[in-house]
Amino acid sequence: MSKTFADFPLHESLQQALQSLGFTSPTPVQEQSIPAALEGKDLLVSSQTGSGKTAAFSLPILQLIDLDEKSPQGLILCPTRELAVQVAEEIQRLASHFENFYATPIY
C-alpha cells in the first residue's frame, strides 16, 4: 500500500498546507527521509533535482520548531543565492498554515 503524507506524524497545520499545495503522496526520498529526521537522525541525502528534497528536510524542521520561540530555530545552507531563495520560498509555502512564521534567505 502506498504511503500518504497523512501517515506521517505531522502537525495538522502542516497536513493542511500539504493538502492545499496538492501534495498527497511522498516521493521516495521523502518517504525514506522524513521518519528518520523526525527521530532526530542526521541525514545525508542525494537525489535528482525535483525529487522532493526540500520538503524531505524542511517538514521535520517545521514539525519540531516551537512557534512561541522568537529566535531562529533552523539553518539550511545552500550553495547558491538562487537556491537559498527557492528553498526559503518553499519552506514558507509548507508553513503557510502557521501563524507568525518566517523563513528568510540570508546571502
Side-chain angles (χ1 to χ4, degrees):
M1 175 177 238
S2 294
K3 208 170 198 117
T4 68
F5 281 107
D7 295 324
F8 294 126
L10 298 173
H11 292 297
E12 181 61 30
S13 53
L14 287 175
Q15 295 287 357
Q16 290 171 351
L18 289 166
Q19 286 178 348
S20 67
L21 293 169
F23 298 149
T24 54
S25 299
T27 65
V29 71
Q30 293 164 346
E31 192 169 339
Q32 293 176 2
S33 299
I34 292 172
L38 288 172
E39 291 175 9
K41 295 180 181 175
D42 292 332
L43 302 176
L44 178 60
V45 177
S46 177
S47 65
Q48 292 182 330
T49 300
S51 63
K53 292 183 298 292
T54 300
F57 63 75
S58 60
L59 286 171
I61 290 171
L62 292 169
Q63 175 67 24
L64 298 172
I65 64 169
D66 179 355
L67 291 172
D68 293 325
E69 177 63 44
K70 299 304 179 203
S71 62
Q73 297 178 56
L75 175 65
I76 299 166
L77 301 175
C78 300
T80 66
R81 175 182 57 218
E82 292 79 10
L83 185 57
V85 170
Q86 177 184 332
V87 167
E89 288 172 352
E90 183 63 14
I91 290 172
Q92 196 66 52
R93 287 177 2 127
L94 291 169
S96 62
H97 290 264
F98 284 177
E99 288 187 34
N100 299 318
F101 175 85
Y102 305 97
T104 304
I106 300 171
Y107 43 85

